[in-house]
Structures are given as C-alpha cells and as structure tokens.
Amino acid sequence: MRGRTDSVVVVGAGLAGLSAALHLRGAGHEVTVVERLPHPGGLAGRLDVAGHRIDTGPTVLTMPELVDEALAAVGDRLADRLELLPLHPAYRACFADGSALDVHTSAEQMEEAVREFAGGREAAGYRELRAWLTRLYEVERERFIGANFDSPLDLLGLDLAALVRLGGFGSLDRAVGRFLRDPRLRRVFTFQALYAGVAPRGALAAYAVIAYMDTVAGVWFPRGGMRAVPQAMADAAADAGVRFAHGCEATSLEVRGDRVRAVVTDRERFACDAVVLAGGPAQTTRLLHRRPRRPVPLRWSPSAVVVHLSGPRVDGYAHHTISFGDAWDRTFDEIIDRGELMTDPSLLLTTPTATDPGLAPADRHLHYLLAPCPNLDAGPLDWDRLGEGYADRLVGELVHRKLIASADDVTRLSLTTPDDWARAGQAAGTPFSAAHTFAQTGPFRPRNLPFRDGNVVLAGSGTTPGVGIPPVLISGRLAAARLHRRP
C-alpha cells in the first residue's frame, strides 16, 4: 500500500479484526479497534441466561496454532492466555439406520473404529484418505489458503500443478468416494462442504482441507467457552498497546481524495492513515457505498437456525454430535437450490458442558442445536412467524432420534434465525458469508483490497481466504500484510 500506514483503525473486534490488530501492532503500527458491541468476538458472540454461559457463534475450534501465531506477533503465547482441551472424539456421527461412529483424530484409533464400523476394506481406504487429506493440506496451506491474491495468475506455479495432480479441482464427493464406498463414511468426510456453502457433489475437492482440519489436525475447546478465544486475543492486544473503543458503531468513513482520513462512529471520530474493515460484507458495503464489481452477483451460503437448550445433566453426550438424516442430496437441494426447509434434517448438537461443566448450573447441560436452512435470498421465509414452531420441531426431532429423552426435559434459552442474523448486519441473513463456489474461491473471491489505490483493506469471511475460524484468522494476517508500506 502506498503512503503512510502508521496509524490504523480496525472496524470490528471479531476474530478477523483481532488477528489484524495483533499482527499490525506487532509490526509497529498504532492500532485502534472500533467495535459496536460491549465486548470482543463479533460473530463469536456471548449470551448469559440463567447461569448458562452461551456461545452464540462458532462452536468448532480447529488449528489453534493460528491463534498462537497472532498472539506471537506481540510477543504473547497461547499457553499463557487459554487452556485448550482436546476433544476425544472430535465428533460423534449418528446415522438414520441407528448406527453411530466416534470420529477420532488419532490415525490408529480411527482406523480401528472404521474397521469395526464398516470392515477392513473401508479401514484401508481411510488410511489412504488420511494420507491424501494431509498432502492436500500441505499443498494448499501457504499458496492457496495463506496468501494474498492480486490476479488469477498468482495461482500459477508448482503448487497449482500439485493440486491438479491431487484432483483438487474435481468434485469433493467423487474424490472422497475414491477411498470410501460406505455412504455413511463418505458423509463424515464431506459434510464439511456445508461450511463452505456448497453441496458435497458440487464442492471442489480442494475443500477437503476442512475435513483435514476436523478429522486429522484435531478439534479443541477452550475452557470458559468459545468466547475465551476472542477475549484472550483482545487482552493480549490491549496489553501490547492496542486501543479498544467498545460500544462505538462505525457510521461513515471520512474521505479526502482516494484515502480515508478518519472513521466516524456514533460516539467519536478516529483519525487514521489506513483502515481495516472487518465487520462483514454488509457493513463494508454500507461504509464504502458500493458492492464489489463482479460479472455476476455474489452467491451467499446457506444460513442456520440455532437453538440453545438447557437439559438435565446426564452422562453419555459427546461434545459434538452430528445427526445425519436419511436424505442427503435432497437436503442440499432443499436449502440451497429450492430455498426450502429440510424435510429430513441433518443436525449438529453441541454439548459444551460435556467438556466444561462450569458453563451451566451443576444439574444442567447446555446444548447448542444448529440446523442449516436457506438464506434470505434463496428462501425469503418469515422467520418471525415460523421460528418458534420450527424450533419446537427441531427439539422433537432430537427426541425422535433419542438424542434427548423428552421435550419436557429441556428448556429453550434462546433462538436465532436468519432474520436475527440479518438484523445483526449479516448479508442475506447468513453468518457464513459468500459461498465457496469456483467463481468465489481463491483469486475469484472478493479481494481484500477493494480499490486499486487507497488505504482500505478488508478482513473476515467475505474475503480471502474464506469462511471458518482458521480462514478468518488468516484473513486478519493477510490484511495486516497489505498495510506494509511501499514507496
């Protein structure tokens, strides 16, 4: 970036903004973080209800070394800020036929679990799949996930050739099918495509790296809840000299020529040499008064209904349980193509008190139930009317699948629908931002430099490299790298 970048205002104290702030401060910039909420976290939000410490955003933490990398930029350490608990199993997968599989990150444990679940041929296929996932991640890690793009030509090189040889530009479903024949196992290693906003049969095989992060690198949980991650990052940033202005909503950018000179909030004006916008696509569009120029409009990922429940403290829950419906391809057709609710839903049930009992009263479990659903562009449903009934229907599904004993056993603590995501400023009412279609991947995703000239950089799930905690943390580092001054 040309010109001075000594003083930077970061708009948004989510994981992307906090990552950017730490990397910028470590490089010697004066940094101010402006956040409309009274606490850090952004979409990694928090809610306290009747003694339950609820995480309202992401619940799956992978690649915690990226948090450590951001903290290390200011001379801090993850081990000094957070207690991370490894999850064993990473997931429990439950299927419509009544079978279940604990998904382990240990190669030996998982191979044995697959052998008992589906036989020796599938166990051998799992070994080969694990090796392929690992190689795929090694090829993509620096060049495709951890790099800024200015042109599709930036992809050219030996890593691109290696990715082509690995089949990274083919179908995810077919790629995993080369190793595993059992359709239940194939779901375990392809459902992650939904994180990227596409059906497994339409997702690039390159996105199998998400399965690598989940099933090979491991899943973790911070003691105190997911909120502990952004809080630790914010505390380290503040200790390093980053200024935080909470309860300040950015209302406009003060522009002179082609440069932003200040961020104006509803409380204060913050002068700056450069700006990092890390509040998401909707806020970026509002502040810049423009959408990214593209041949076709952005396609948004599916949304989600999230129900937080309090239930009796009984044994037997895994931290994360994925309950697959019998339908699969039809489910994706419904929520992505037809804008309809799932008729045979696949659900994520997270029970953080299985790992950290202190998140709820002594006799209660805290449950987080997530059901994918259409975004408001694909299915403009009236969630203010539908939400309560749909939440009851989802709880009934948990009872039917024997994941809870009775609807009378649980109390609903909160409900979040696409209308709520939209009211919080999320484009199309989805917290998962732009889908990772081929035309919205890598150099074709909205760039983190919205203008050829100027001093504005973007961070977050709507830009490079994409959706999920690891990509969002990387996006903050990439945004900070853009602000290294050049003549």
Side-chain angles (χ1 to χ4, degrees):
M1 181 168 289
R2 299 185 186 278
R4 290 184 58 182
T5 61
D6 300 339
S7 172
V8 182
V9 172
V10 177
V11 178
L15 294 174
L18 293 169
S19 174
L22 287 162
H23 285 287
L24 286 166
R25 185 63 189 142
H29 300 264
E30 294 297 321
V31 182
T32 299
V33 178
V34 174
E35 170 56 53
R36 68 177 181 86
L37 297 174
H39 51 73
L43 283 176
R46 58 181 72 175
L47 179 67
D48 295 334
V49 180
H52 299 77
R53 293 166 56 85
I54 298 170
D55 291 317
T56 60
T59 63
V60 180
L61 176 61
T62 60
M63 311 301 288
E65 59 268 28
L66 294 171
V67 179
D68 201 22
E69 176 189 74
L71 295 173
V74 295
D76 218 311
R77 296 195 320 150
L78 178 66
D80 295 334
R81 295 282 178 178
L82 281 172
E83 181 184 1
L84 289 183
L85 307 170
L87 299 187
H88 302 299
Y91 296 98
R92 176 168 296 151
C94 299
F95 302 94
D97 63 1
S99 61
L101 173 69
D102 281 350
V103 178
H104 302 282
T105 53
S106 159
E108 293 77 15
Q109 279 185 287
M110 189 58 184
E111 183 179 342
E112 184 57 32
V114 170
R115 179 176 289 106
E116 293 179 3
F117 181 77
R121 193 257 170 225
E122 296 296 274
Y126 163 74
R127 277 201 313 272
E128 296 173 3
L129 172 64
R130 186 183 178 99
W132 178 74
L133 292 173
T134 302
R135 178 60 182 145
L136 197 69
Y137 175 72
E138 291 169 348
V139 168
E140 293 186 41
R141 179 178 54 206
E142 299 300 330
R143 184 73 167 175
F144 300 99
I145 301 174
N148 278 312
F149 292 105
D150 291 310
S151 160
L153 296 178
D154 292 341
L155 283 174
L156 299 179
L158 294 177
D159 288 334
L160 178 62
L163 186 58
V164 171
R165 287 195 300 272
L166 286 167
F169 292 98
S171 159
L172 172 63
D173 187 59
R174 286 196 295 272
V176 172
R178 296 200 313 263
F179 305 100
L180 300 172
R181 294 177 183 172
D182 190 302
R184 299 168 300 174
L185 290 175
R186 290 170 68 166
R187 291 184 187 186
V188 168
F189 292 96
T190 61
F191 82 89
Q192 297 88 351
L194 193 58
Y195 298 160
V198 287
R201 67 179 182 276
L204 293 176
Y207 283 106
V209 293
I210 308 175
Y212 168 87
M213 295 173 185
D214 283 359
T215 67
V216 178
V219 180
W220 305 77
F221 188 73
R223 189 174 297 280
M226 293 293 287
R227 67 176 71 184
V229 175
Q231 190 63 60
M233 295 175 72
D235 290 345
D239 289 347
V242 173
R243 177 189 176 191
F244 283 85
H246 286 287
C248 286
E249 182 165 8
T251 57
S252 63
L253 304 178
E254 188 178 296
V255 180
R256 295 180 201 163
D258 60 1
R259 296 180 71 84
V260 174
R261 300 299 181 181
V263 174
V264 180
T265 75
D266 54 359
R267 284 176 40 193
E268 191 175 347
R269 174 185 179 273
F270 297 90
C272 59
D273 298 318
V275 177
V276 176
L277 298 181
Q283 184 192 58
T284 296
T285 297
R286 175 173 59 82
L287 291 174
L288 296 180
H289 302 292
R290 54 160 280 186
R291 294 181 182 274
R293 286 178 293 183
R294 301 179 60 83
V296 294
L298 282 173
R299 174 178 160 185
W300 303 101
S301 296
S303 185
V305 172
V306 177
V307 188
H308 293 100
L309 302 165
S310 175
R313 185 71 66 92
V314 295
D315 295 334
Y317 282 104
H319 189 107
H320 294 297
T321 299
I322 306 166
S323 176
F324 292 102
D326 190 40
W328 189 237
D329 289 340
R330 188 182 79 213
T331 291
F332 293 101
D333 289 339
E334 287 169 340
I335 63 175
I336 295 176
D337 299 324
R338 290 166 19 203
E340 300 172 355
L341 297 178
M342 296 179 290
T343 53
D344 183 17
S346 290
L347 306 170
L348 170 65
L349 180 68
T350 293
T351 307
T353 42
T355 301
D356 187 353
L359 298 176
D363 61 339
R364 306 301 287 175
H365 263 316
L366 174 60
H367 301 291
Y368 169 112
L369 173 61
L370 182 147
C373 69
N375 65 51
L376 294 178
D377 283 358
L381 305 174
D382 183 356
W383 283 102
D384 287 338
R385 181 178 60 85
L386 295 173
E388 299 281 338
Y390 189 60
D392 290 341
R393 173 182 156 191
L394 293 174
V395 171
E397 196 64 39
L398 292 182
V399 175
H400 174 70
R401 299 180 187 190
K402 297 182 172 55
L403 293 174
I404 59 174
S406 166
D408 295 333
D409 289 344
V410 297
T411 302
R412 189 194 309 156
L413 302 172
S414 72
L415 168 65
T416 305
T417 72
D419 280 348
D420 296 310
W421 298 120
R423 282 189 281 264
Q426 299 305 307
T430 174
F432 303 114
S433 196
H436 286 265
T437 60
F438 179 80
Q440 296 177 181
T441 292
F444 308 114
R445 199 164 181 82
R447 294 178 63 210
N448 58 7
L449 280 179
F451 307 112
R452 184 180 298 275
D453 297 310
N455 61 341
V456 177
V457 187
L458 310 183
S461 59
T463 186
T464 305
V467 178
I469 289 179
V472 162
L473 291 168
I474 292 170
S475 80
R477 171 169 59 80
L478 295 178
R482 289 288 197 186
L483 292 175
H484 294 329
R485 184 179 174 183
R486 60 188 175 91

